[in-house]
Coordinates of all heavy atoms in Angstrom, one line a residue:
M11 N 25.7 5.5 35.1 CA 25.0 5.3 33.9 C 24.2 3.9 34.0 O 24.7 2.9 34.6 CB 26.0 5.2 32.8 CG 25.3 5.0 31.4 SD 26.5 5.3 30.1 CE 25.4 5.1 28.7
N12 N 23.0 3.9 33.5 CA 22.2 2.8 33.6 C 22.6 1.8 32.5 O 22.5 2.0 31.3 CB 20.8 3.2 33.4 CG 19.8 2.0 33.6 OD1 20.2 0.9 33.8 ND2 18.4 2.3 33.5
S13 N 23.1 0.6 32.9 CA 23.6 -0.4 31.9 C 22.5 -1.2 31.2 O 22.7 -1.8 30.2 CB 24.5 -1.4 32.6 OG 23.9 -2.1 33.6
A14 N 21.3 -1.1 31.8 CA 20.1 -1.8 31.2 C 19.6 -1.1 30.0 O 19.0 -1.7 29.0 CB 19.0 -1.9 32.2
H15 N 19.8 0.2 29.9 CA 19.4 0.9 28.8 C 20.5 1.3 27.8 O 21.2 2.2 28.1 CB 18.6 2.2 29.2 CG 17.9 3.0 28.1 ND1 18.7 3.8 27.3 CD2 16.7 3.1 27.7 CE1 17.8 4.4 26.4 NE2 16.6 3.9 26.7
T16 N 20.7 0.6 26.7 CA 21.8 0.9 25.9 C 21.5 1.6 24.5 O 22.3 1.9 23.8 CB 22.5 -0.5 25.5 OG1 21.6 -1.3 24.8 CG2 23.1 -1.1 26.8
A17 N 20.2 1.9 24.4 CA 19.8 2.5 23.1 C 20.2 4.0 23.1 O 20.1 4.6 24.2 CB 18.3 2.4 22.9
P18 N 20.6 4.5 22.0 CA 21.0 5.9 22.0 C 19.8 6.9 22.2 O 20.0 7.9 22.7 CB 21.6 6.1 20.6 CG 21.1 5.0 19.8 CD 20.8 3.9 20.7
L19 N 18.6 6.4 21.9 CA 17.4 7.3 22.0 C 16.4 6.4 22.8 O 16.3 5.3 22.6 CB 16.8 7.6 20.7 CG 17.6 8.6 19.8 CD1 16.9 8.7 18.4 CD2 17.7 9.9 20.4
D20 N 15.7 7.1 23.6 CA 14.6 6.5 24.3 C 13.3 6.7 23.5 O 12.7 7.7 23.6 CB 14.4 7.1 25.8 CG 13.5 6.3 26.6 OD1 13.0 5.3 26.2 OD2 13.3 6.8 27.8
V21 N 13.0 5.6 22.7 CA 11.9 5.8 21.7 C 10.6 5.9 22.5 O 9.7 6.5 22.0 CB 11.9 4.6 20.8 CG1 13.1 4.6 19.8 CG2 11.8 3.2 21.4
V22 N 10.5 5.2 23.6 CA 9.2 5.4 24.4 C 9.0 6.8 24.9 O 7.9 7.3 24.8 CB 9.1 4.4 25.5 CG1 7.9 4.4 26.3 CG2 9.3 2.9 25.0
A23 N 10.0 7.4 25.4 CA 9.9 8.7 26.0 C 9.6 9.8 24.8 O 9.0 10.8 25.0 CB 11.2 9.1 26.6
L24 N 10.2 9.4 23.7 CA 10.0 10.4 22.5 C 8.6 10.1 21.9 O 8.2 10.9 21.0 CB 11.0 10.2 21.5 CG 12.5 10.6 21.9 CD1 13.5 10.3 20.8 CD2 12.5 12.2 22.1
G25 N 7.9 9.1 22.2 CA 6.6 8.8 21.6 C 6.8 8.1 20.3 O 5.9 8.2 19.5
L26 N 7.9 7.5 20.0 CA 8.1 6.9 18.7 C 8.0 5.3 18.8 O 8.5 4.6 17.9 CB 9.5 7.2 18.2 CG 9.7 8.8 17.8 CD1 11.2 8.9 17.4 CD2 8.8 9.1 16.8
D27 N 7.4 4.8 19.9 CA 7.4 3.3 20.0 C 6.5 2.7 18.9 O 6.7 1.6 18.6 CB 7.0 3.0 21.5 CG 5.7 3.6 21.9 OD1 5.4 4.6 21.3 OD2 5.0 3.1 22.7
W28 N 5.6 3.4 18.4 CA 4.7 2.9 17.4 C 5.5 2.7 16.1 O 5.1 1.9 15.2 CB 3.5 3.9 17.1 CG 4.0 5.2 16.5 CD1 4.3 6.3 17.4 CD2 4.3 5.5 15.3 NE1 4.8 7.3 16.5 CE2 4.7 6.9 15.2 CE3 4.1 4.9 14.0 CZ2 5.1 7.6 14.1 CZ3 4.5 5.6 12.9 CH2 5.0 6.9 12.9
L29 N 6.6 3.4 15.9 CA 7.3 3.4 14.6 C 8.0 2.0 14.5 O 8.2 1.6 13.3 CB 8.3 4.5 14.6 CG 9.2 4.7 13.4 CD1 8.3 5.1 12.2 CD2 10.2 5.7 13.6
F30 N 8.3 1.4 15.5 CA 9.1 0.1 15.5 C 8.2 -1.0 15.7 O 8.7 -2.2 16.0 CB 10.2 0.2 16.5 CG 11.1 1.3 16.3 CD1 11.0 2.5 17.0 CD2 12.1 1.4 15.2 CE1 11.8 3.6 16.8 CE2 12.8 2.5 15.0 CZ 12.7 3.6 15.7
S31 N 6.9 -1.0 15.5 CA 6.0 -2.1 15.8 C 6.1 -3.0 14.5 O 6.3 -2.5 13.4 CB 4.6 -1.7 16.1 OG 4.0 -1.2 14.9
P32 N 5.8 -4.3 14.7 CA 5.7 -5.3 13.6 C 4.7 -4.8 12.5 O 4.9 -5.1 11.3 CB 5.4 -6.6 14.2 CG 5.9 -6.4 15.6 CD 5.6 -5.0 16.0
A33 N 3.6 -4.2 13.0 CA 2.5 -3.9 12.1 C 3.0 -2.8 11.1 O 2.7 -2.9 9.9 CB 1.3 -3.5 12.8
V34 N 3.7 -1.8 11.6 CA 4.2 -0.7 10.7 C 5.2 -1.3 9.8 O 5.2 -0.9 8.6 CB 4.8 0.4 11.7 CG1 5.5 1.4 10.8 CG2 3.7 1.0 12.5
G35 N 6.0 -2.3 10.3 CA 7.0 -2.9 9.3 C 6.3 -3.5 8.2 O 6.8 -3.5 7.1
A36 N 5.3 -4.3 8.5 CA 4.5 -5.0 7.5 C 3.9 -4.2 6.5 O 3.9 -4.5 5.3 CB 3.5 -5.9 8.2
V37 N 3.4 -3.0 6.9 CA 2.7 -2.1 6.1 C 3.8 -1.4 5.1 O 3.6 -1.3 3.9 CB 2.0 -0.9 6.9 CG1 1.6 0.2 6.0 CG2 0.8 -1.6 7.5
L38 N 4.9 -1.1 5.7 CA 6.0 -0.5 4.9 C 6.5 -1.5 3.8 O 6.8 -1.2 2.6 CB 7.2 -0.1 5.7 CG 6.9 1.1 6.6 CD1 8.2 1.3 7.6 CD2 6.6 2.3 5.8
V39 N 6.6 -2.8 4.1 CA 7.0 -3.9 3.1 C 5.9 -4.0 2.1 O 6.2 -4.1 0.9 CB 7.2 -5.2 3.9 CG1 7.3 -6.3 2.9 CG2 8.5 -5.1 4.7
L40 N 4.6 -3.9 2.5 CA 3.6 -4.0 1.6 C 3.5 -2.9 0.6 O 3.3 -3.0 -0.6 CB 2.2 -4.1 2.3 CG 0.9 -4.2 1.4 CD1 0.9 -5.5 0.7 CD2 -0.3 -4.2 2.3
L41 N 3.7 -1.7 1.1 CA 3.8 -0.5 0.2 C 5.0 -0.6 -0.7 O 4.8 -0.2 -1.8 CB 3.9 0.8 1.1 CG 2.6 1.2 1.8 CD1 2.9 2.4 2.7 CD2 1.5 1.5 0.9
A42 N 6.1 -1.1 -0.3 CA 7.2 -1.2 -1.2 C 6.9 -2.2 -2.2 O 7.2 -1.9 -3.4 CB 8.5 -1.6 -0.3
A43 N 6.3 -3.3 -1.9 CA 5.9 -4.3 -2.9 C 4.9 -3.7 -3.9 O 5.0 -4.0 -5.2 CB 5.5 -5.6 -2.2
M44 N 3.9 -3.0 -3.4 CA 2.9 -2.4 -4.4 C 3.5 -1.4 -5.2 O 3.2 -1.3 -6.4 CB 1.8 -1.8 -3.5 CG 0.9 -2.8 -2.8 SD -0.3 -2.1 -1.7 CE -1.2 -1.0 -2.8
S45 N 4.5 -0.6 -4.7 CA 5.1 0.4 -5.6 C 6.0 -0.2 -6.6 O 5.9 0.2 -7.9 CB 6.1 1.3 -4.7 OG 5.3 2.0 -3.8
A46 N 6.7 -1.4 -6.3 CA 7.5 -2.1 -7.3 C 6.6 -2.7 -8.4 O 6.9 -2.6 -9.6 CB 8.2 -3.2 -6.6
C47 N 5.4 -3.2 -8.0 CA 4.5 -3.8 -9.0 C 3.9 -2.8 -9.9 O 3.7 -2.9 -11.1 CB 3.4 -4.5 -8.3 SG 3.9 -6.1 -7.5
F48 N 3.6 -1.6 -9.3 CA 3.1 -0.4 -10.0 C 4.1 0.0 -11.1 O 3.7 0.2 -12.2 CB 2.7 0.7 -9.2 CG 2.2 1.9 -9.8 CD1 0.8 1.9 -10.4 CD2 2.9 3.1 -10.0 CE1 0.4 3.0 -11.1 CE2 2.5 4.2 -10.7 CZ 1.2 4.1 -11.2
F49 N 5.4 0.1 -10.7 CA 6.4 0.6 -11.6 C 6.7 -0.5 -12.7 O 6.7 -0.1 -13.8 CB 7.7 0.8 -10.8 CG 8.8 1.2 -11.6 CD1 8.8 2.5 -12.2 CD2 9.9 0.4 -11.9 CE1 9.9 3.0 -13.0 CE2 11.0 0.8 -12.7 CZ 11.0 2.1 -13.3
L50 N 6.6 -1.7 -12.4 CA 6.8 -2.8 -13.4 C 5.6 -2.8 -14.4 O 5.7 -3.0 -15.5 CB 6.8 -4.1 -12.6 CG 7.0 -5.4 -13.6 CD1 8.2 -5.2 -14.4 CD2 6.9 -6.7 -12.8
G51 N 4.4 -2.6 -13.8 CA 3.2 -2.5 -14.7 C 3.3 -1.3 -15.7 O 3.0 -1.5 -16.9
I52 N 3.7 -0.2 -15.2 CA 3.9 0.9 -16.1 C 4.9 0.7 -17.2 O 4.7 1.1 -18.3 CB 4.2 2.2 -15.2 CG1 3.1 2.6 -14.2 CG2 4.7 3.4 -16.1 CD1 1.9 3.1 -15.0
L53 N 6.0 0.1 -16.7 CA 7.0 -0.3 -17.7 C 6.4 -1.2 -18.9 O 6.7 -1.0 -20.0 CB 8.2 -0.9 -17.1 CG 9.2 0.1 -16.4 CD1 10.3 -0.7 -15.7 CD2 9.7 1.1 -17.3
L54 N 5.7 -2.2 -18.4 CA 5.2 -3.2 -19.4 C 4.2 -2.6 -20.3 O 4.2 -2.9 -21.5 CB 4.6 -4.4 -18.6 CG 5.6 -5.3 -17.9 CD1 4.9 -6.4 -17.1 CD2 6.6 -5.9 -18.9
V55 N 3.3 -1.8 -19.7 CA 2.2 -1.2 -20.5 C 2.8 -0.1 -21.5 O 2.4 -0.1 -22.7 CB 1.2 -0.6 -19.6 CG1 0.2 0.2 -20.5 CG2 0.5 -1.7 -18.9
S56 N 3.7 0.7 -21.0 CA 4.2 1.7 -21.9 C 5.2 1.2 -23.0 O 5.3 1.8 -24.0 CB 5.0 2.8 -21.0 OG 6.2 2.2 -20.4
A57 N 5.7 0.0 -22.8 CA 6.6 -0.6 -23.8 C 5.8 -1.3 -24.8 O 6.4 -1.9 -25.8 CB 7.6 -1.5 -23.1
G58 N 4.5 -1.5 -24.6 CA 3.7 -2.2 -25.6 C 4.1 -3.8 -25.5 O 4.0 -4.4 -26.5
H59 N 4.3 -4.2 -24.4 CA 4.7 -5.6 -24.2 C 3.5 -6.5 -24.4 O 2.3 -6.1 -24.3 CB 5.2 -5.8 -22.7 CG 6.0 -7.0 -22.5 ND1 5.5 -8.2 -22.1 CD2 7.3 -7.2 -22.7 CE1 6.4 -9.1 -22.1 NE2 7.6 -8.5 -22.3
R60 N 3.7 -7.8 -24.6 CA 2.6 -8.7 -24.8 C 1.8 -8.9 -23.6 O 0.7 -9.5 -23.6 CB 3.1 -10.1 -25.4 CG 4.0 -10.8 -24.5 CD 4.7 -12.0 -25.1 NE 5.6 -12.6 -24.3 CZ 5.5 -13.8 -23.6 NH1 4.3 -14.5 -23.9 NH2 6.4 -14.3 -22.8
W61 N 2.3 -8.6 -22.5 CA 1.5 -8.7 -21.2 C 0.6 -7.6 -21.0 O -0.1 -7.5 -19.9 CB 2.5 -8.8 -20.0 CG 3.2 -10.2 -19.9 CD1 3.1 -11.2 -20.8 CD2 3.9 -10.6 -18.9 NE1 3.9 -12.2 -20.4 CE2 4.4 -11.9 -19.1 CE3 4.3 -10.0 -17.6 CZ2 5.2 -12.6 -18.3 CZ3 5.1 -10.7 -16.8 CH2 5.6 -12.0 -17.1
H62 N 0.5 -6.7 -21.9 CA -0.4 -5.5 -21.7 C -1.8 -5.8 -21.3 O -2.3 -5.2 -20.3 CB -0.4 -4.7 -23.0 CG -1.3 -3.5 -23.0 ND1 -1.0 -2.3 -22.3 CD2 -2.5 -3.3 -23.6 CE1 -2.0 -1.4 -22.5 NE2 -2.9 -2.0 -23.2
P63 N -2.5 -6.7 -22.0 CA -3.9 -7.1 -21.6 C -3.9 -7.7 -20.2 O -4.8 -7.3 -19.4 CB -4.3 -8.1 -22.6 CG -3.5 -7.9 -23.8 CD -2.2 -7.5 -23.2
F64 N -2.9 -8.5 -19.8 CA -2.9 -9.2 -18.5 C -2.7 -8.0 -17.4 O -3.5 -8.1 -16.4 CB -1.8 -10.2 -18.4 CG -1.6 -10.7 -17.0 CD1 -2.5 -11.6 -16.5 CD2 -0.5 -10.3 -16.2 CE1 -2.3 -12.2 -15.3 CE2 -0.3 -10.8 -15.0 CZ -1.2 -11.8 -14.5
V65 N -1.8 -7.1 -17.6 CA -1.5 -6.1 -16.6 C -2.8 -5.2 -16.5 O -3.2 -4.8 -15.3 CB -0.3 -5.3 -17.0 CG1 -0.1 -4.0 -16.2 CG2 0.9 -6.1 -17.0
M66 N -3.4 -4.8 -17.6 CA -4.6 -4.0 -17.5 C -5.8 -4.7 -16.8 O -6.5 -4.2 -16.1 CB -5.0 -3.5 -18.9 CG -4.0 -2.6 -19.6 SD -3.6 -1.1 -18.6 CE -5.1 -0.3 -18.8
G67 N -5.9 -6.1 -17.0 CA -6.9 -6.8 -16.4 C -6.7 -6.9 -14.9 O -7.6 -6.7 -14.1
V68 N -5.5 -7.2 -14.5 CA -5.2 -7.2 -13.0 C -5.4 -5.9 -12.4 O -5.9 -5.8 -11.3 CB -3.7 -7.8 -12.8 CG1 -3.3 -7.6 -11.4 CG2 -3.6 -9.2 -13.3
A69 N -5.0 -4.8 -13.1 CA -5.2 -3.5 -12.5 C -6.7 -3.2 -12.4 O -7.1 -2.6 -11.4 CB -4.6 -2.4 -13.4
G70 N -7.5 -3.6 -13.3 CA -8.9 -3.4 -13.2 C -9.6 -4.1 -12.0 O -10.4 -3.7 -11.3
I71 N -9.1 -5.4 -11.9 CA -9.6 -6.2 -10.8 C -9.2 -5.6 -9.4 O -10.1 -5.5 -8.4 CB -9.1 -7.7 -10.8 CG1 -9.7 -8.4 -12.1 CG2 -9.3 -8.5 -9.6 CD1 -9.1 -9.7 -12.4
V72 N -8.0 -5.1 -9.3 CA -7.6 -4.4 -8.0 C -8.4 -3.2 -7.8 O -8.9 -3.0 -6.7 CB -6.1 -4.1 -8.2 CG1 -5.7 -3.2 -7.0 CG2 -5.2 -5.4 -8.1
V73 N -8.7 -2.4 -8.8 CA -9.5 -1.2 -8.7 C -10.9 -1.6 -8.2 O -11.4 -1.0 -7.2 CB -9.5 -0.3 -9.9 CG1 -10.5 0.7 -9.8 CG2 -8.1 0.3 -10.2
F74 N -11.5 -2.6 -8.8 CA -12.8 -3.0 -8.5 C -12.9 -3.6 -7.1 O -13.9 -3.2 -6.4 CB -13.4 -3.9 -9.5 CG -14.7 -4.5 -9.2 CD1 -15.9 -3.7 -9.4 CD2 -15.0 -5.6 -8.6 CE1 -17.1 -4.0 -9.1 CE2 -16.2 -6.1 -8.3 CZ -17.3 -5.3 -8.5
A75 N -12.0 -4.4 -6.7 CA -11.9 -5.0 -5.4 C -11.8 -3.9 -4.3 O -12.4 -4.0 -3.3 CB -10.8 -6.1 -5.3
T76 N -10.8 -3.0 -4.6 CA -10.7 -1.9 -3.6 C -12.0 -1.1 -3.4 O -12.4 -0.7 -2.3 CB -9.5 -0.9 -4.0 OG1 -8.4 -1.7 -4.1 CG2 -9.3 0.0 -3.0
A77 N -12.6 -0.7 -4.6 CA -13.9 0.0 -4.5 C -15.0 -0.7 -3.8 O -15.7 -0.1 -3.0 CB -14.3 0.4 -5.9
A78 N -15.2 -2.0 -4.1 CA -16.1 -2.8 -3.4 C -15.9 -3.0 -2.0 O -16.9 -2.9 -1.2 CB -16.2 -4.2 -4.1
S79 N -14.6 -3.0 -1.6 CA -14.4 -3.2 -0.1 C -14.6 -1.9 0.5 O -15.1 -1.9 1.7 CB -12.9 -3.6 0.1 OG -12.0 -2.5 -0.2
R80 N -14.4 -0.8 0.0 CA -14.7 0.6 0.6 C -16.2 0.7 0.9 O -16.6 1.2 1.9 CB -14.3 1.7 -0.3 CG -12.7 1.7 -0.5 CD -11.9 2.2 0.5 NE -11.7 1.3 1.6 CZ -11.2 1.5 2.8 NH1 -10.9 2.8 3.1 NH2 -11.0 0.6 3.7
V81 N -17.0 0.3 -0.1 CA -18.4 0.4 0.0 C -19.0 -0.7 1.0 O -19.8 -0.4 1.9 CB -19.2 0.2 -1.3 CG1 -20.7 0.1 -1.2 CG2 -18.8 1.3 -2.3
Y82 N -18.4 -1.9 0.9 CA -18.9 -2.9 1.8 C -18.6 -2.6 3.3 O -19.4 -2.9 4.2 CB -18.2 -4.3 1.4 CG -18.6 -5.4 2.4 CD1 -19.8 -6.0 2.3 CD2 -17.5 -5.8 3.4 CE1 -20.0 -7.1 3.2 CE2 -17.9 -6.8 4.2 CZ -19.1 -7.5 4.1 OH -19.5 -8.5 5.0
L83 N -17.4 -2.1 3.5 CA -17.1 -1.7 5.0 C -17.8 -0.4 5.5 O -17.7 -0.1 6.6 CB -15.6 -1.5 5.1 CG -14.7 -2.7 4.9 CD1 -13.3 -2.4 4.8 CD2 -15.0 -3.8 6.0
G84 N -18.4 0.3 4.5 CA -19.2 1.5 5.0 C -18.3 2.7 5.1 O -18.7 3.7 5.7
V85 N -17.1 2.7 4.6 CA -16.1 3.8 4.7 C -16.6 4.8 3.8 O -16.4 6.0 4.0 CB -14.7 3.3 4.4 CG1 -13.7 4.4 4.5 CG2 -14.3 2.2 5.4
H86 N -17.0 4.5 2.5 CA -17.5 5.5 1.5 C -18.8 5.2 1.0 O -19.2 4.0 1.0 CB -16.5 5.5 0.4 CG -15.1 6.0 0.8 ND1 -14.9 7.4 1.1 CD2 -13.9 5.4 0.9 CE1 -13.6 7.5 1.4 NE2 -13.0 6.3 1.3
Y87 N -19.5 6.2 0.5 CA -20.8 6.0 -0.3 C -20.4 5.4 -1.7 O -19.3 5.8 -2.2 CB -21.6 7.2 -0.4 CG -22.1 7.7 0.9 CD1 -21.6 8.9 1.5 CD2 -23.1 7.0 1.6 CE1 -22.1 9.3 2.7 CE2 -23.6 7.5 2.8 CZ -23.1 8.6 3.4 OH -23.6 9.0 4.6
P88 N -21.3 4.7 -2.3 CA -21.1 4.2 -3.6 C -20.8 5.3 -4.7 O -20.0 5.2 -5.6 CB -22.4 3.5 -4.0 CG -22.9 3.0 -2.7 CD -22.6 4.1 -1.7
S89 N -21.5 6.5 -4.4 CA -21.3 7.6 -5.4 C -19.9 8.2 -5.2 O -19.3 8.6 -6.2 CB -22.3 8.7 -5.1 OG -22.2 9.2 -3.7
D90 N -19.3 8.2 -4.0 CA -18.0 8.6 -3.9 C -17.0 7.7 -4.5 O -16.0 8.2 -5.2 CB -17.7 8.6 -2.4 CG -18.4 9.6 -1.5 OD1 -19.0 10.5 -2.1 OD2 -18.5 9.5 -0.3
V91 N -17.2 6.4 -4.4 CA -16.3 5.5 -5.1 C -16.4 5.6 -6.6 O -15.4 5.5 -7.3 CB -16.6 4.0 -4.6 CG1 -15.9 3.0 -5.4 CG2 -16.4 3.8 -3.1
A92 N -17.6 5.7 -7.1 CA -17.8 5.8 -8.6 C -17.1 7.1 -9.1 O -16.5 7.1 -10.2 CB -19.3 5.8 -8.9
A93 N -17.3 8.1 -8.3 CA -16.6 9.5 -8.8 C -15.1 9.3 -8.7 O -14.5 9.9 -9.6 CB -17.0 10.6 -7.8
S94 N -14.6 8.6 -7.8 CA -13.1 8.5 -7.7 C -12.5 7.7 -8.9 O -11.4 7.8 -9.3 CB -12.7 7.9 -6.3 OG -13.0 6.6 -6.3
I95 N -13.3 6.7 -9.3 CA -12.9 5.9 -10.5 C -12.9 6.6 -11.7 O -12.0 6.5 -12.6 CB -13.7 4.6 -10.6 CG1 -13.5 3.7 -9.4 CG2 -13.4 3.9 -11.9 CD1 -14.3 2.5 -9.3
V96 N -13.9 7.5 -11.9 CA -14.0 8.3 -13.1 C -12.8 9.3 -13.1 O -12.2 9.6 -14.0 CB -15.4 9.0 -13.2 CG1 -15.4 10.0 -14.3 CG2 -16.5 8.0 -13.3

């Protein structure tokens, strides 16, 4: 038995080496944080909390910034972005 290889699965042979990269881990952490913020925002807005205008303002800024970046990078046409917002 090869003592240098102690992992139960050979992730490189299975083609899963991308799954354990730091970039994928960072994206998963970012998605978890965004999901938590979205859930918190929904709770605050639905409860009629005093932060309602702040949450709605931040959400509007995020939507506008995302739409502007899509057009700026040339990934989507402005008409596509406008239709997705509507």
Side-chain angles (χ1 to χ4, degrees):
M11 180 168 185
N12 187 359
S13 62
H15 186 282
T16 58
L19 291 175
D20 190 0
V21 294
V22 176
L24 292 174
L26 298 175
D27 54 337
W28 62 270
L29 186 63
F30 302 102
S31 71
V34 172
V37 168
L38 291 176
V39 168
L40 180 64
L41 286 174
M44 288 174 57
S45 299
C47 289
F48 178 76
F49 182 69
L50 180 63
I52 292 296
L53 285 178
L54 291 176
V55 170
S56 65
H59 199 271
R60 64 184 172 113
W61 285 10
H62 175 78
F64 175 73
V65 171
M66 295 302 288
V68 169
I71 290 170
V72 169
V73 167
F74 179 75
T76 303
S79 71
R80 299 280 81 194
V81 173
Y82 176 76
L83 293 173
V85 179
H86 294 287
Y87 293 112
S89 60
D90 296 340
V91 172
S94 69
I95 292 174
V96 174

